[in-house]
Amino acid sequence: AQTVTQSQPEMSVQEAETVTLSCTYDTSESDYYLFWYKQPPSRQMILVIRQEAYKQQNATENRFSVNFQKAAKSFSLKISDSQLGDAAMYFCAYRRNYGGSQGNLIFGKGTKLSVKP
Amino acid sequence: SAVISQKPSRDICQRGTSLTIQCQVDSQVTMMFWYRQQPGQSLTLIATANQGSEATYESGFVIDKFPISRPNLTFSTLTVSNMSPEDSSIYLCSAWTGLEQYFGPGTRLTVT
């Protein structure tokens, strides 16, 4: 069975600094997606970034980038120039790709990020 | 992208009653899901809502307790039946567009 592990329950970063959130996963599949979601206190789950396993290039979305190491099954999220609005719970998630139809998301336990002004 | 709305946003219910949560997506989607999130915890999948057929439930969740409907490609309901305080949680609707998975704002349920 697939599992997703986030080993950092809480992290803190100074405003304008850079922080990296860790995520590892376990799977025997070769075709899958990885995601980072942000959940602020409003509880709305917001998709931050997506990575396809078959792509070697790391995904980036503005200040957010990932370091995807497929062999090591590692998928970390880097937030550059941290802003107060980045404070939230961050979830790493895995989805197996069944060709034309996809399975459900498997979530890690989350990392609570605080941003200090 | 997809925008998902849920009703109600929150409710306080008495033990033994039932609550139906509605989920509306602004576009047709391949798959819809229902998740439960207890305070400070991660998300747990309850079931996959299948259009035109019975939902597919995850281990630990049964149809009698969490009946689900999905009459079309944009709408689904989740009913929490015969509620107990242990059902107090946030319930989230989610939809897979074929590229990405989006979430509704959640329904905060408190059972007294």
Side-chain angles (χ1 to χ4, degrees):
Chain A
Q2 295 84 16
T3 59
V4 177
T5 302
Q6 292 179 250
S7 59
Q8 305 154 316
E10 296 188 23
M11 291 283 284
S12 181
V13 64
Q14 204 71 33
E15 195 176 8
E17 297 294 309
T18 296
V19 65
T20 298
L21 308 184
S22 301
C23 173
T24 59
Y25 59 95
D26 187 25
T27 182
S28 58
E29 303 289 333
S30 59
D31 190 8
Y32 51 87
Y33 294 98
L34 295 164
F35 304 87
W36 278 98
Y37 283 88
K38 169 185 176 181
Q39 188 179 41
S42 68
R43 77 173 181 258
Q44 175 73 58
M45 291 284 283
I46 302 165
L47 178 63
V48 175
I49 201 163
R50 177 188 66 169
Q51 175 78 44
E52 290 94 333
Y54 62 86
K55 289 186 177 179
Q56 292 188 341
Q57 186 174 5
N58 290 324
T60 62
E61 286 288 340
N62 301 314
R63 297 183 295 107
F64 298 87
S65 62
V66 298
N67 183 6
F68 174 47
Q69 301 290 326
K70 190 172 183 178
K73 297 179 183 174
S74 171
F75 182 61
S76 60
L77 174 70
K78 185 171 82 171
I79 305 174
S80 304
D81 186 25
S82 296
Q83 301 175 359
L84 295 177
D86 295 332
M89 198 75 167
Y90 285 82
F91 292 99
C92 178
Y94 163 100
R95 168 190 285 281
R96 183 165 49 159
N97 188 1
Y98 290 92
S101 75
Q102 283 75 36
N104 76 87
L105 286 172
I106 298 170
F107 286 92
K109 291 187 181 296
T111 297
K112 184 177 181 179
L113 178 66
S114 302
V115 181
K116 297 178 180 176
Chain B
S1 66
V3 177
I4 303 175
S5 59
Q6 284 184 235
K7 290 181 186 178
S9 60
R10 60 176 62 221
D11 208 340
I12 301 172
C13 300
Q14 295 217 338
R15 180 196 300 258
T17 63
S18 298
L19 175 72
T20 295
I21 303 168
Q22 298 181 1
C23 175
Q24 180 73 55
V25 189
D26 69 343
S27 58
Q28 293 186 350
V29 292
T30 308
M31 303 177 80
M32 294 181 73
F33 306 91
W34 287 97
Y35 288 83
R36 183 170 73 182
Q37 185 179 28
Q38 302 196 310
Q41 303 295 313
S42 187
L43 284 73
T44 300
L45 180 67
I46 297 171
T48 301
N50 300 310
Q51 194 266 328
S53 64
E54 198 169 279
T56 305
Y57 290 84
E58 297 299 304
S59 175
F61 298 96
V62 295
I63 188 172
D64 289 345
K65 176 68 176 177
F66 297 100
I68 288 170
S69 78
R70 189 178 174 192
N72 56 52
L73 293 175
T74 64
F75 185 79
S76 178
T77 66
L78 167 74
T79 299
V80 185
S81 303
N82 188 25
M83 288 184 283
S84 67
E86 292 71 35
D87 295 320
S88 297
S89 191
I90 296 170
Y91 293 84
L92 295 108
C93 174
S94 182
W96 173 255
T97 65
L99 284 176
E100 294 170 342
Q101 187 154 337
Y102 295 90
F103 287 82
T107 296
R108 183 183 293 275
L109 172 61
T110 303
V111 183
T112 60

